[in-house]
């Protein structure tokens, strides 16, 4: 299957944008939350589903027919390609599910989360989604030393941001997801699916890259030392198990 960036006539590339992205968000989060609950409850359903996804080709929705019920059945018709080339929606949803399965492996806490923890005084406001940029910020902080961010994490993030096609992008993303798993840092996979969808559209790519960069450098309530220490302790516990 070819992985060229979607053309303007690609299914899902027309219509009311916020509503379309909400549909894609739900198509990703629905099956992820079911698998996550099952896996954390030590049920065979979640364990087997995640194992199958982890071994999939992250770049190719057509690579394993056993995955189609998971990666394509929840996708609204407007995102389904009528031809031989995968639509940007199909590529984004497939990649998000495979990446989540990679992230959740051997973790005792959910690696998909829909909101950043906020102080009590701010809980009346809409809770912030944990974007990929936020997660990489936490990663660089935890892996860094002497108050300096980890250079390797930032270099990988920059390489990902500079990728020019979907295949290169999700392969680079999988490397960073593996590092996030090692430090037990969650992120919002519904938002990641939407970001991958937009990154496959040349008209939206710069918007996502800029938001990721802003999120990387924006201080969060969870940047305080207790939160960073807690995340680091959880990562140490996971490595010990």
């Amino acid at each position: 299957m070819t992985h060229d960036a979607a053309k303007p006539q690609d299914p899902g590339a027309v219509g009311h944008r916020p509503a379309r992205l909400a549909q894609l968000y739900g198509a990703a989060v629905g099956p992820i939350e079911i698998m996550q609950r099952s896996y954390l409850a030590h049920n065979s359903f979640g364990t087997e589903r995640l194992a199958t996804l982890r071994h999939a080709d992250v770049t190719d929705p057509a690579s394993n027919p056993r995955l189609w019920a998971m990666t394509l059945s929840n996708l609204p018709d407007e995102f389904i390609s009528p031809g031989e080339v995968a639509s940007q929606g199909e590529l984004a949803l497939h990649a998000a599910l495979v990446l989540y399965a990679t992230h959740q492996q051997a973790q005792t806490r959910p690696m998909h989360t829909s909101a950043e923890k906020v102080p009590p005084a701010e809980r009346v406001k809409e809770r912030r989604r944990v974007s990929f940029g936020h997660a990489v910020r936490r990663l660089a902080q935890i892996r860094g030393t002497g108050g300096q961010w980890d250079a390797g994490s930032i270099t990988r993030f920059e390489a990902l941001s500079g990728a020019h096609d979907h295949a290169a992008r999700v392969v680079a993303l999988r490397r960073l997801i593996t590092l996030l798993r090692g430090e037990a840092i969650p992120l919002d996979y519904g938002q990641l699916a939407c970001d991958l969808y937009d990154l496959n559209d040349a008209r939206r790519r710069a918007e996502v890259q800029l938001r990721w960069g802003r999120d990387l450098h924006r201080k969060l309530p969870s940047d305080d030392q207790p939160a960073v220490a807690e995340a680091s302790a959880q990562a140490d516990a996971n490595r010990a198990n």
Side-chain angles (χ1 to χ4, degrees), residues 62-241:
S63 60
N64 186 347
R66 293 178 61 197
L67 296 176
W68 294 346
M70 287 185 274
T71 60
L72 299 178
S73 63
N74 291 321
L75 201 59
D77 288 345
E78 65 182 277
F79 290 97
I80 302 295
S81 172
E84 297 179 357
V85 178
S87 72
Q88 67 191 65
E90 290 168 332
L91 291 169
L93 180 58
H94 171 82
L97 292 175
V98 172
L99 291 168
Y100 164 72
T102 299
H103 199 166
Q104 188 63 58
Q105 183 183 17
Q107 297 298 307
T108 59
R109 291 184 178 182
M111 291 296 104
H112 161 72
T113 184
S114 60
E116 174 71 14
K117 292 181 180 179
V118 296
E122 296 187 25
R123 286 182 184 158
V124 295
K125 302 177 183 178
E126 181 179 357
R127 300 185 75 191
R128 290 179 289 271
R129 289 178 177 172
V130 184
S131 79
F132 185 67
H134 293 155
V136 174
R137 177 185 178 91
R138 183 82 59 79
L139 177 70
Q141 289 174 329
I142 292 173
R143 289 172 61 90
T145 58
Q148 300 296 313
W149 285 8
D150 175 53
S153 301
I154 300 303
T155 297
R156 288 179 175 85
F157 181 79
E158 292 171 347
L160 166 62
S161 298
H164 295 295
D165 61 64
H166 177 77
R169 191 174 297 121
V170 295
V171 168
L173 186 53
R174 194 168 198 169
R175 296 190 187 105
L176 271 167
I177 293 298
T178 301
L179 295 181
L180 292 174
R181 179 183 67 198
E183 305 299 343
I185 300 170
L187 61 87
D188 185 333
Y189 274 89
Q191 184 60 54
L192 184 63
C194 295
D195 288 346
L196 289 172
Y197 176 81
D198 280 343
L199 285 167
N200 283 334
D201 185 340
R203 299 166 298 178
R204 299 288 184 180
R205 188 173 303 136
E207 176 184 325
V208 176
Q209 291 169 331
L210 180 59
R211 175 160 40 80
W212 280 6
R214 286 171 175 161
D215 290 344
L216 176 67
H217 293 285
R218 179 180 298 148
K219 182 175 173 60
L220 297 171
S222 54
D223 284 346
D224 59 36
Q225 289 304 310
V228 173
E230 179 186 356
S232 182
Q234 178 63 29
D236 291 340
N238 286 338
R239 283 190 286 269
N241 290 335

